[in-house]
Amino acid sequence: SEGCLYAQLVDLLDLGKLEQGNLSLSLERIDAKVLIDEVTNTLAPIAAKRRVRIEARIDSALPPIFADSVRVKQILTNLTENAVKFSPADGVVLLSVRGVELESSEDGDGMGLVLLAAPRAAVEMAVCDTGPGIAEAERLKIFDAFYQIDGSSTREHGGTGLGLSIVKRLVEAHGGSVWVESELGHGATFRFTLPESREP
């Protein structure tokens, strides 16, 4: 369809800009609850058609985060769409947000010493599904551009194979990191961090 082709074109353009370092971020103070609510409301009808329920869990105390709200929403939407697609009927997709501390370290004088910096506050967002899970071998590749898990469910849902690659680059552009926790038969949880930053 035209909408699908447009979405694929946008993915390709975004990936190109990210790889060349030409994607600019518009930083502002973000409200995690507002973003979660927007993503939940947008995708709830799609989830309902698949008999999947979307739930949210947001910690009350979160550090101030300045990020590109449009791009963070894009990250959450991509991860949530995937979670809904791969969840079985009567499954649940949980979006959660919590405050965390990131430990950062820098090499010392080259003699094996490590200087530990003060922990940095961050927000960790997670999208958890009740789908089939992801094998360990696949977890190492899913953030690669154009990579798709070789399974019938993936072929059924289609896609460009760019979504997770774009998610990874967008998170890293914010100074954060993204990873997946999963076990075959026990769903998958995608987590990403957005480090606390000063107001631009």
Side-chain angles (χ1 to χ4, degrees):
S1 69
E2 289 185 4
C4 184
L5 288 173
Y6 175 77
Q8 292 175 4
L9 178 60
V10 170
D11 280 352
L12 285 168
L13 290 172
D14 277 353
L15 183 63
K17 290 178 181 178
L18 286 162
E19 288 182 339
Q20 296 169 16
N22 293 333
L23 186 73
S24 60
L25 299 177
S26 179
L27 301 181
E28 59 183 346
R29 184 169 184 139
I30 64 170
D31 186 327
K33 184 180 187 311
V34 170
L35 290 180
I36 294 291
D37 286 345
E38 288 178 356
V39 171
T40 300
N41 291 336
T42 299
L43 298 181
I46 298 171
K49 288 181 181 178
R50 300 183 59 85
R51 288 170 51 198
V52 173
R53 190 171 73 256
I54 301 178
E55 298 180 352
R57 183 181 301 150
I58 303 172
D59 281 3
S60 56
L62 297 173
I65 299 295
F66 293 88
D68 188 319
S69 61
V70 172
R71 294 304 181 176
V72 175
K73 185 177 177 182
Q74 181 180 355
I75 293 167
L76 285 168
T77 298
N78 185 296
L79 294 177
T80 306
E81 281 182 335
N82 283 347
V84 169
K85 285 179 183 178
F86 289 98
S87 288
D90 300 318
V92 177
V93 172
L94 174 65
L95 280 65
S96 63
V97 187
R98 64 174 183 157
V100 296
E101 286 190 343
L102 302 178
E103 291 186 5
S104 58
S105 64
E106 299 178 0
D107 290 336
D109 57 6
M111 302 295 291
L113 299 177
V114 175
L115 302 176
L116 293 178
R120 186 179 182 189
V123 160
E124 179 187 278
M125 298 189 179
V127 178
C128 179
D129 66 53
T130 50
I134 305 169
E136 183 177 359
E138 305 287 354
R139 295 199 301 270
L140 302 176
K141 304 173 185 176
I142 56 176
F143 292 105
D144 295 345
F146 301 107
Y147 183 80
Q148 292 185 325
I149 296 173
D150 184 19
S152 59
S153 57
T154 301
R155 287 194 294 270
E156 174 189 345
H157 297 303
T160 60
L162 291 174
L164 290 178
S165 178
I166 291 172
V167 162
K168 183 175 188 292
R169 285 168 170 80
L170 285 175
V171 170
E172 290 175 349
H174 282 86
S177 57
V178 60
W179 67 98
V180 61
E181 301 166 355
S182 184
E183 186 178 334
L184 279 178
H186 296 280
T189 299
F190 285 83
R191 301 183 187 276
F192 66 95
T193 55
L194 298 174
E196 179 183 29
S197 58
R198 295 177 181 174
E199 186 170 3

